[in-house]
């Protein structure tokens, strides 16, 4: 499987939770330069909500820089 971790050249949001008994982990990179990581189900949920509201789909490519 390819590495799905977002980078500045390939921005996005990656969330993983290998099993129900392990905490979730997320990494986000926006084309505007913002980055974030989170570990734990509640923290990952907050990161996803924040990324969705303020980055990625929230602003068009090229407007964030």
């Amino acid at each position: 499987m390819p590495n799905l971790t977002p980078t500045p050249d390939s921005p996005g949001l990656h969330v993983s939770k290998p099993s129900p008994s392990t905490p979730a982990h997320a990494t986000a990179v926006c084309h505007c330069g913002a980055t974030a990581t989170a570990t734990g189900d509640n923290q990952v949920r907050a990161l996803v909500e924040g990324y969705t509201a303020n980055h990625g789909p929230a602003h068009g490519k090229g407007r964030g820089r």
Side-chain angles (χ1 to χ4, degrees):
M1 176 181 259
N3 184 353
L4 300 176
T5 303
T7 66
D9 292 330
S10 182
L13 177 65
H14 180 252
V15 177
S16 72
K17 184 168 174 78
S19 76
S21 62
T22 60
H25 179 78
T27 303
V29 177
C30 185
H31 59 266
C32 74
T35 64
T37 60
T39 300
D41 296 356
N42 292 333
Q43 292 83 359
V44 167
R45 186 175 298 113
L47 185 150
V48 170
E49 290 171 358
Y51 180 83
T52 302
N54 301 299
H55 297 284
H59 56 83
K61 193 169 193 169
R63 286 190 282 159
R65 285 195 173 172

